[in-house]
Each structure stands twice: as C-alpha cells, then as structure tokens.
Amino acid sequence: MAGSEAKNSGSKQSGAKKKEVKKETGLGLTNRKADNFGEWYSEVVVNSEMIEYYDISGCYILRPWAMAIWEIMQGFFDPEIKKMKIKNCYFPLFVSPGVLEKEKEHVEGFAPEVAWVTKSGKTDLEIPIAIRPTSETVMYPYYSKWIRGHRDLPLKLNQWCNVVRWEFSNPTPFIRSREFLWQEGHTAFATKEEADVEVLEILELYRRIYEEFLAVPVIKGKKSEMEKFAGGLYTTSVEAFIPNTGRGVQGATSHCLGQNFAKMFEINFENEKGEKAMVWQNSWAYSTRTIGVMVMVHGDDKGLVLPPKVASVQVIVIPVPYKDADTQGIIDACTATVNTLCEAGIRAESDFRDNYSPGWKYSHWEMKGVPLRIEIGPKDLAKKQARAARRDNGAKIDIANDNLVDEVKKLLDTVQQNLFDVAKQKRDECIEVVHTWDEFVQALNQRKMILAPWCDEEAVEADVKARTKGEMGAAKTLCSPFDQPELPEGTKCFASEKPAKKWSYWGRSY
Ligand code: 87F
C-alpha cells in the first residue's frame, strides 16, 4: 500500500540520475517522520519488511522480520511467568453467545466490536458463535468447574493467542488492528493480597519488555475509574508516549478483577475453615502493539531502528570489494567475522548477494533497522580490522579483528542504552506540569503529556473529555503514576478547582 516502489515508479519523466537509481532500487522513504508521521509509519513498517497490507481492512501480515521480534519478547516473558508458576494452556477461539450474555455488564460497551460467525458454507448456523475479543467468558466457566477447594488455588494460566476486535476507528499496523497477537494471563487466588502482589509483578515484567528490550521508557500507574477495565476492580498499566504525535499509548495492562467475575461465573471454593468463599482474580495482557510503539519511538527518516535486544539480526556484515581487490579474501573475512560473532552468541549475518552494490545494501539494512553494520574492504583486510557503523547515530568505528567480539558486544550494549536514553530525554521534554485549566489547554495544544493535580472525580474527567473534544480527539487520563510527586496541602484540581487528591497524566492517546 504505502510501498515506495509504487510511488517511485511515478517519477519516470525525471532524467536526474539519483532518481533513476532510487527507482531502480525502490529504497528510501518518501515521507519524513517530522512532516507526515502517519504516512511515514506505514511506509516504514512495509519497507522494512515487517508488515504486508492485507485485503481486509485492519488486518496485516506479520512477516518474519516482525514475528522474530515478537518471539524474542516471548522468549523473555514466557520463562519469567513460568518462574511465577503460571502455566500455559490453550482455549478455543469461539465463544458461545450464552456465556457472552452472562457477562453482559462489561461486554455491553464492547459489543459492537465483537465479530460473529453466522454461516457455514451457505447455511445459516443455528446459533451464531462469537470470535473471542478476550477470553474471560471462554475460560471462567471452566475455572468454576476446576476450582473446588483451597488446594486448587492459586490457579494461574496464560495463553498465547490471537483475538479479534472489529474496530472502526482508523486501523494502524500493530497499534490498532482487527486481529492481533497477545498473551493473556488469567489467575485466581484465595486472597486479595496474593492477587495484588501478582498485579504488580506482571506490571514490572511489562515495564522490562518496554524499557529493557524495546528501549522505550514507560510510566507505571493506575488507571482512572473511567479508563479502567469496567469488569474489574482496578487496572494498572504501563504508558508510553509518542513525541511526534503528542499521543500517549497504553503499553500493556495488568488488572485486579476483584470478585466480579467470581460472582458472575460462580467461581467458589471451600476455604481452610470449611466455609464457602469466592476467588480473587487477575487478568493481564501485552500484545503486538508493543512492536508498533517501538517503531514509532525509534524509527527515523532512513527507516526502522531496532534495539539490539530485539533485533533478529544484530550485526549485518557486508563485503566491500573494489575493482581488482582480493574479492575472495574479503568474502572469507566476512564469513569468518560472522562465524566468530555467532559463536559468541551475537546474531550476525552476511549479505553476499552479488546483484546489489554495497551502497544499496547499506540502505537496505538501514531500512530494516539492523543496529550494527560491519563493512570489510581491501584496506580492512590488509589492516586485519573491520569497520562498524551504528544504526542509531551513524557513528563509525574501526575494530581490530582480535577485539571483534568484545567490541561488538560493547557497541550493541551502547546502542541499546543510547536508544533508551535518547527516547527518555525526548519523552521527558514532552512532559508538562500544569496547575490550571488554561495551562492544561495550552500544553495540550503543544502536544504534551500533561501531569496535573486532579480531584479524581469521574464527572470531572468526563467534563475534561467533553471540553477538549475536537478533530484531534479528546484528552483523557493516561494513568495516575505510582511515582507521585509531592502534593502540597491546598493544591487544587486543574479542572474543577476542588481539592486535588493525586497527580495524574493526561493527554490525547491512541
Ligand atoms: C472488545 C470486545 C469485547 C477489551 C473488548 O485487558 C470485550 C472486550 O473485554 C474486553 N475489548 N476488553 C477488555 C479486556 C480486558 C482484559 N482481558 C484479559 C485485559 C487483559 C487480558
């Protein structure tokens, strides 16, 4: 769709040599991140070979370059939850209308997004079946069956799966798609205390996915009553921010469901005293949205920028054989370099394709966001060295063959840290502390992430939403950060001027 090939092929009349080369290679972005963010994003995800558009709106093909990132995060998260004694399972994709109804209260608001299967072949199904938008109603009837006594608790299950939500507002690859991948954890405990502890343990894993893997700074906090999962007791989240659009984005959520679902689905147990009691439940999820947030935060005008920890290729080795050079010698040096790096546990590959120039390959791997490029030419061969170029800042460093592994490891760590530091600095520059409505409106117009003292009243949040409604979308609370600045006695709510109860982040969001 946003492929540059289609766009570039339109520049046929142009006799300029540069344009010709571009047309031939199909490389380069036609939109800039700062000028046309939405178009830039679509172009990056397609040209980096992460996404292919599909012929159903809101559905996207995740190509290996994207799937590898998902798998690397899964490779972190899955063992972590197994350490917490959470077990994987798989429940069906389909939901019977009966159970979905049971849960009416919380499903009501979501109902328009539920997709239904109504036919098999040309025959109408006797009873239509829903496709899971989330799995509470799929799983909890069986929790009710499986949990009998206190010895059956805690029950801690997770599943890696797809869900379908038939969204109508502008679909965006990874960020808002009608089908997406996620993990959903659903746990049941005898006591609220155990549930409370798990909510935060999971939230910390989500923070680590964003900050340690994707190099994206996030804010941990609690959702307002209006923004929490309606079926639950309270919702915690990690919130990221996209400086270019001035929008917050909910990164992942960890809910304490309290006993609401236990009541609805009769998930009871006999406690140690022989009394009948209801379980306390949590649910939590992160999705492929994580990948979109990473692209938006780190990508630049050359394409994708991958943090080394999630890059399926961390180092791309490219031979640079000038005319009359010892081409075989250079190729052998590249092979040896890749082998040495791979043996040291670094994900390295070579690009020996002989139908592309080194320059083309540089652009290609820059577009794909590979953190480190190693070039080996005749001079490097003679000096027993290699030249490394960083994707994040373009810096070039000569590395002696003897120090290869240590230097590359150090560079990858530096790139990872630098990506986080730069992203955090940019994010922090967008945070504005306000005390009054006028300051709030001004900051909102400047696309800031706003930290404001708030009375914590739902009606006031509804009022802020109504008063900021417009083309760009209304402002809402993102979260109330766990890390609360001091709130001096007498501080007033920025919107209602009633006594403020807490600091909250506000802004437009995805
Ligand atoms: C769309 C259609 C139907 C979100 C929906 O966050 C139902 C829903 O329940 C729905 N969109 N939600 C909330 C999901 C809550 C919760 N589920 C388990 C999570 C974490 C994983």
Side-chain angles (χ1 to χ4, degrees):
M1 198 171 242
S4 62
E5 272 135 320
K7 275 178 186 149
N8 287 334
S9 63
S11 60
K12 253 192 178 150
Q13 316 91 309
S14 162
K17 218 175 177 190
K18 255 194 175 161
K19 280 246 170 84
E20 280 300 310
V21 172
K22 216 177 167 190
K23 187 183 76 180
E24 196 181 282
T25 59
L27 282 179
L29 297 170
T30 57
N31 291 285
R32 282 184 199 242
K33 190 179 189 183
D35 300 341
N36 205 350
F37 185 81
E39 291 294 312
W40 167 85
Y41 178 77
S42 315
E43 235 186 318
V44 169
V45 295
V46 171
N47 289 15
S48 64
E49 300 175 314
M50 287 211 288
I51 286 287
E52 188 68 68
Y53 279 76
Y54 193 62
D55 69 352
I56 295 173
S57 168
C59 297
Y60 308 95
I61 299 164
L62 301 193
R63 302 180 67 183
W65 201 246
M67 203 59 195
I69 299 172
W70 184 243
E71 286 177 340
I72 287 169
M73 292 190 285
Q74 191 171 25
F76 162 72
F77 191 79
D78 200 65
E80 286 296 327
I81 59 174
K82 281 178 178 145
K83 279 188 222 163
M84 294 169 66
K85 306 275 185 260
I86 293 154
K87 292 189 166 72
N88 280 330
C89 62
Y90 188 79
F91 280 75
L93 169 68
F94 300 114
V95 198
S96 69
V99 273
L100 208 61
E101 279 290 293
K102 199 168 186 166
E103 229 226 329
K104 229 177 184 166
E105 261 174 65
H106 109 262
V107 163
E108 217 157 38
F110 298 121
E113 288 181 11
V114 178
W116 292 83
V117 180
T118 56
K119 279 178 193 291
S120 84
K122 286 189 172 150
T123 334
D124 285 346
L125 291 190
E126 212 165 295
I127 310 163
I129 49 172
I131 302 174
R132 66 177 164 222
T134 176
S135 300
E136 281 80 358
T137 56
V138 177
M139 297 168 84
Y140 297 169
Y142 299 88
Y143 279 42
S144 166
K145 180 180 179 200
W146 297 335
I147 298 168
R148 288 279 115 110
H150 61 90
R151 287 178 199 86
D152 300 323
L153 293 171
L155 177 61
K156 304 203 269 189
L157 300 183
N158 176 68
Q159 65 176 355
W160 294 93
C161 65
N162 60 338
V163 287
V164 172
R165 295 178 184 175
W166 215 253
E167 304 257 7
F168 292 94
S169 52
N170 80 106
T172 308
F174 299 118
I175 298 291
R176 193 182 297 108
S177 54
R178 286 178 163 175
E179 179 186 0
F180 56 86
L181 303 181
W182 74 353
Q183 61 64 220
E184 53 178 320
H186 294 266
T187 53
F189 301 89
T191 64
K192 178 168 186 292
E193 288 66 37
E194 292 167 89
D196 286 335
V197 168
E198 189 202 62
V199 165
L200 295 183
E201 277 178 9
I202 294 292
L203 196 68
E204 172 61 8
L205 293 179
Y206 292 155
R207 184 199 66 77
R208 291 181 61 192
I209 286 180
Y210 274 97
E211 298 200 333
E212 294 177 11
F213 284 78
L214 301 170
V216 170
V218 288
I219 293 161
K220 278 183 175 182
K222 196 173 161 194
K223 287 281 184 182
S224 68
E225 279 303 300
M226 185 173 266
E227 292 300 326
K228 77 169 191 187
F229 172 36
L233 185 59
Y234 64 88
T235 294
T236 67
S237 70
V238 288
E239 300 285 328
F241 188 76
I242 311 300
N244 295 78
T245 57
R247 285 181 192 274
V249 50
Q250 180 175 288
T253 48
S254 180
H255 313 278
C256 178
L257 303 177
Q259 296 181 309
N260 298 348
F261 286 92
K263 258 174 235 159
M264 273 186 284
F265 289 92
E266 299 176 64
I267 314 177
N268 307 313
F269 68 103
E270 195 178 280
N271 69 18
E272 278 161 338
K273 294 179 213 148
E275 306 155 343
K276 191 176 154 185
M278 262 185 305
V279 299
W280 292 86
Q281 287 177 277
N282 291 340
S283 76
W284 27 271
Y286 80 91
S287 73
T288 35
R289 171 178 272 201
T290 46
I291 300 172
V293 174
M294 174 207 76
V295 176
M296 289 185 169
V297 167
H298 300 304
D300 64 18
D301 290 338
K302 288 180 172 173
L304 189 61
V305 177
L306 289 175
K309 285 251 262 188
V310 293
S312 56
V313 178
Q314 297 171 310
V315 181
I316 186 70
V317 180
I318 298 174
V320 191
Y322 293 103
K323 249 195 199 157
D324 307 325
D326 172 10
T327 304
Q328 194 53 51
I330 290 172
I331 298 226
D332 292 345
C334 288
T335 304
T337 300
V338 169
N339 289 343
T340 307
L341 293 174
C342 287
E343 275 160 29
I346 296 160
R347 298 188 286 270
E349 280 181 15
S350 55
D351 186 349
F352 289 150
R353 289 176 292 179
D354 60 8
N355 54 334
Y356 293 112
S357 68
W360 186 95
K361 291 177 185 174
Y362 294 176
S363 305
H364 174 75
W365 294 104
E366 279 169 0
M367 180 67 73
K368 290 176 75 71
V370 170
L372 212 58
R373 173 176 81 228
I374 288 185
E375 310 160 7
I376 301 180
K379 276 188 193 154
D380 303 303
L381 199 62
K383 291 198 206 163
K384 294 191 182 1
Q385 64 169 40
R387 164 156 282 205
R390 280 169 60 171
R391 176 65 181 88
D392 62 328
N393 64 5
K396 297 200 170 173
I397 312 99
D398 288 329
I399 303 174
N401 288 350
D402 292 342
N403 300 334
L404 182 73
V405 167
D406 284 353
E407 288 296 317
V408 167
K409 275 189 177 161
K410 238 196 291 174
L411 273 171
L412 291 174
D413 286 347
T414 308
V415 171
Q416 182 78 32
Q417 187 62 45
N418 184 244
L419 283 173
F420 180 79
D421 292 345
V422 170
K424 184 161 189 308
Q425 196 193 330
K426 283 189 190 154
R427 197 274 315 267
D428 288 348
E429 281 167 12
C430 293
I431 297 176
E432 186 101 350
V433 178
V434 311
H435 285 89
T436 65
W437 178 256
D438 286 349
E439 287 171 356
F440 177 81
V441 171
Q442 199 183 357
L444 193 65
N445 289 337
Q446 293 168 348
R447 304 183 173 195
K448 300 281 185 176
M449 188 188 198
I450 302 162
L451 185 57
W454 179 37
C455 61
D456 199 14
E457 287 180 18
E458 218 171 328
V460 173
E461 180 167 6
D463 188 48
V464 171
K465 266 191 175 173
R467 288 205 274 172
T468 54
K469 217 166 130 186
E471 240 172 71
M472 309 253 290
K476 60 183 190 188
T477 55
L478 305 174
C479 73
S480 181
F482 290 144
D483 188 7
Q484 285 277 315
E486 200 198 322
L487 189 67
E489 264 303 307
T491 306
K492 287 181 180 166
C493 168
F494 77 99
S496 69
E497 295 183 15
K498 291 178 190 172
K501 292 214 181 92
K502 54 163 75 152
W503 288 93
S504 264
Y505 280 102
W506 295 73
R508 296 197 178 90
S509 72
Y510 279 93

